[in-house]
Amino acid sequence: MYFHGTSKINAQGHLEIGGCDVADLAKQFGTPLYIVDEALVRQRAREYVESFRASGLKFQVAYASKAFSVMAMCAIAEQEDLSLDVVSDGELYTALQAGFPAQRIHFHGNNKTPDEINMALDANIGCFVVDNFNELYLLNALAGDKGKKVQVLLRITPGVEAHTHEYISTGQTDSKFGFDLGNGTAYLAIQEAAAQSNIELLGVHSHIGSQIFEVEGFAMAVDKVAGFAVKVREELNITFRVINLGGGIGIRYVEGDTPLPIAQYVKAITDSIINNFTNADYPLPEIWVEPGRSMVGDAGTTLYTVGTSKDIPGVRKYIAVDGGMTDNPRPALYESKYEAVLANRANESVEETVSVAGKCCESGDMLIWDLELPKAKTGDLLAVFCTGAYNYAMASNYNRIRRPAVVFVKDGAADVAVKRESLDDIVGNDVIPARLKQTSAAK
Ligand SMILES: *Cc1c(COP(=O)(O)O)cnc(C)c1O
């Protein structure tokens, strides 16, 4: 079994994370429970920041908050000198409520509404990553209405696409995001941005995919972006001060996943930037990145209680837990794979192969197929690893199941970062219209 961060088996044979016995956490906070290894999050943040410092380039590491957007995580990002990406008013509000400095917030998204743009303008955020022409003109107009000039990156589609283990380089990329580099749209967008009086163009942004294990795709993107920068400088006399290379580096979910060490990824892209721009006699730009998954993914563990089981002789044995696709939709959405242990019997040897089902009324509500475990009994605890990114963030109330609590653990302390939803929360926004409120007596 592979243990991430501070996770280990303690003297009781229980899984321990951040110095906390997870059986105690289950008793104290109930299950399902998201457990975040705070030391591991901070370690990842520092790996990014220190690797960039070593490059000598100016930089910003912007945590892509969509991976796990809660106020406690924004507070940690602030303390670790990160910047923050948001993609909606809700993520922006979360960051602002957490006291995150607005100047370090970058606003993403392919369809920002006028209300969202106004909210971000009023908050004086640091940068808008403009995705399309509609947004460019709208942002310019709304900024003008407020007498403001805003800093902007243009999101370009560099024609490099990562399919996790391989890359394709195409002339024209079929994507809903950004200005296409290959067909001249990005060039036109630069000209248009430069012509808007309330826009200050800082440079360009590219994001090629997610859960990426090799440097090649990033290096290809740097080459394309650098080539574009040089052309724009020569022909339009516009110099990019910032190049943003997006997020995307992968993490180890299961055996066989071989992620890039963060330092190696940062060295590869910064070397590539330095080479490309120095060779072109171009002032070295500031480099920004936007890690999401690699910042929080392996720091998260979801703890469940085992309930029922169903053995179909010769076919398969199912065990069911008290959560499922409502707290982790990724297996159902992407066929994502996870590893897990029986957290209260973590030393015991494997006795059988089971498949872990959730409790939703969907056959597709499966968390793990073919997991080797000791014989699990009702009441045992199952810990599923690497659930820090895109789990709580994607959780739903399907079947009116309440979203779990989130606790941050560190050095033996466990603190609630998000409360478990109550049954009152479930009906909190429901209204029965007056005309439906006839009593049975009135019928
Ligand atoms: C999703 C996203 C990220 C973060 O991606 P990870 O794979 O989680 O690192 C960064 N930038 C943009 C624009 C994104 O859409």
Side-chain angles (χ1 to χ4, degrees):
M1 183 47 58
Y2 183 93
F3 291 102
H4 303 261
T6 64
S7 299
K8 60 174 191 183
I9 301 173
N10 67 15
Q12 286 73 47
H14 296 174
L15 177 65
E16 180 182 301
I17 309 173
C20 298
D21 185 317
V22 302
D24 293 340
L25 297 179
K27 270 191 213 116
Q28 192 179 349
F29 301 105
T31 60
L33 183 68
Y34 295 109
I35 302 166
V36 176
D37 181 348
E38 182 185 331
L40 186 53
V41 174
R42 291 185 186 275
Q43 180 189 323
R44 295 288 181 243
R46 287 169 199 180
E47 282 172 46
Y48 271 104
V49 169
E50 282 159 20
S51 305
F52 271 103
R53 280 211 184 107
S55 77
L57 291 172
K58 284 195 178 158
F59 67 93
Q60 283 190 38
V61 176
Y63 165 57
S65 72
K66 71 178 186 202
F68 177 54
S69 168
V70 303
M71 285 167 57
M73 185 56 211
C74 294
I76 290 177
E78 205 286 303
Q79 290 163 14
E80 297 296 336
D81 293 326
L82 306 179
S83 298
L84 203 73
D85 281 1
V86 299
V87 296
S88 72
D89 53 2
E91 288 183 359
L92 175 57
Y93 191 72
T94 302
L96 295 174
Q97 287 295 108
F100 197 89
Q103 269 302 309
R104 277 159 42 201
I105 296 177
H106 311 155
F107 199 175
H108 269 279
N110 68 314
N111 187 18
K112 304 175 187 77
T113 66
D115 283 350
E116 286 175 321
I117 291 174
N118 277 324
M119 178 179 169
L121 286 169
D122 289 339
N124 291 315
I125 67 158
C127 183
F128 289 80
V129 182
V130 171
D131 185 274
N132 52 68
F133 289 108
N134 303 101
E135 182 189 342
L136 182 65
Y137 304 133
L138 177 64
L139 176 60
N140 183 58
L142 295 177
D145 290 347
K146 294 180 188 292
K148 293 188 175 178
K149 188 160 186 171
V150 289
Q151 298 196 317
V152 157
L153 294 178
L154 295 186
R155 178 166 182 166
I156 62 171
T157 315
V160 178
E161 212 182 325
H163 294 283
T164 304
H165 294 278
E166 61 185 293
Y167 300 88
I168 49 171
S169 182
T170 53
Q172 180 137 349
T173 309
D174 184 359
S175 161
K176 77 167 182 174
F177 293 112
F179 300 100
D180 197 84
L181 196 61
N183 69 8
T185 311
Y187 190 85
L188 194 61
I190 298 288
Q191 290 174 297
E192 283 300 291
Q196 309 301 311
S197 50
N198 307 306
I199 298 270
E200 181 189 346
L201 181 66
L202 295 182
V204 290
H205 167 280
S206 107
H207 171 75
I208 60 168
S210 202
Q211 185 61 357
I212 297 167
F213 289 152
E214 295 112 18
V215 293
E216 285 78 10
F218 297 112
M220 277 168 77
V222 171
D223 290 348
K224 296 221 177 195
V225 168
F228 181 60
V230 169
K231 177 178 155 84
V232 164
R233 188 163 197 249
E234 276 169 13
E235 296 176 10
L236 302 175
N237 196 27
I238 293 170
T239 305
F240 297 156
R241 279 149 51 201
V242 174
I243 303 290
N244 185 326
L245 291 173
I249 86 166
I251 63 169
R252 184 200 178 284
Y253 283 102
V254 293
E255 198 174 351
D257 288 346
T258 51
L260 280 166
I262 289 168
Q264 193 180 321
Y265 154 81
V266 172
K267 176 132 180 39
I269 58 173
T270 51
D271 282 355
S272 179
I273 289 276
I274 291 168
N275 283 339
N276 271 284
F277 285 85
T278 308
N279 289 342
D281 204 12
Y282 193 112
L284 282 178
E286 198 169 317
I287 176 151
W288 296 2
V289 290
E290 308 174 319
R293 190 188 312 274
S294 56
M295 197 68 84
V296 293
D298 59 1
T301 301
T302 309
L303 192 65
Y304 302 96
T305 300
V306 175
T308 58
S309 63
K310 173 181 176 179
D311 197 356
I312 312 166
V315 179
R316 169 184 306 284
K317 180 171 174 186
Y318 290 89
I319 62 170
V321 295
D322 53 354
M325 64 188 290
T326 42
D327 57 79
N328 184 0
R330 296 187 69 256
L333 275 175
Y334 313 119
E335 298 183 4
S336 308
K337 307 281 186 287
Y338 287 92
E339 288 179 349
V341 294
L342 272 194
N344 56 320
R345 296 163 54 198
N347 272 333
E348 295 182 26
S349 19
V350 167
E351 292 171 296
E352 61 180 4
T353 300
V354 297
S355 293
V356 182
K359 63 184 266 115
C360 295
C361 288
E362 296 278 336
S363 293
D365 177 25
M366 294 295 298
L367 289 174
I368 303 177
W369 294 97
D370 300 328
L371 173 68
E372 295 190 331
L373 285 184
K375 260 200 175 80
K377 301 186 299 279
T378 303
D380 279 337
L381 297 170
L382 186 81
V384 177
F385 296 122
C386 271
T387 59
Y390 307 111
N391 269 238
Y392 179 78
M394 288 186 159
S396 79
N397 291 123
Y398 180 54
N399 286 170
R400 295 233 132 177
I401 289 170
R402 291 177 278 159
R403 274 177 292 196
V406 181
V407 295
F408 280 50
V409 293
K410 185 165 183 284
D411 301 330
D415 298 290
V416 173
V418 184
K419 290 188 266 188
R420 183 178 304 283
E421 283 180 330
S422 66
L423 289 172
D424 282 331
D425 290 332
I426 290 293
V427 294
N429 288 325
D430 285 19
V431 177
I432 303 179
R435 65 187 172 78
L436 300 181
K437 276 187 180 161
Q438 294 155 351
T439 61
S440 40
K443 273 185 198 162

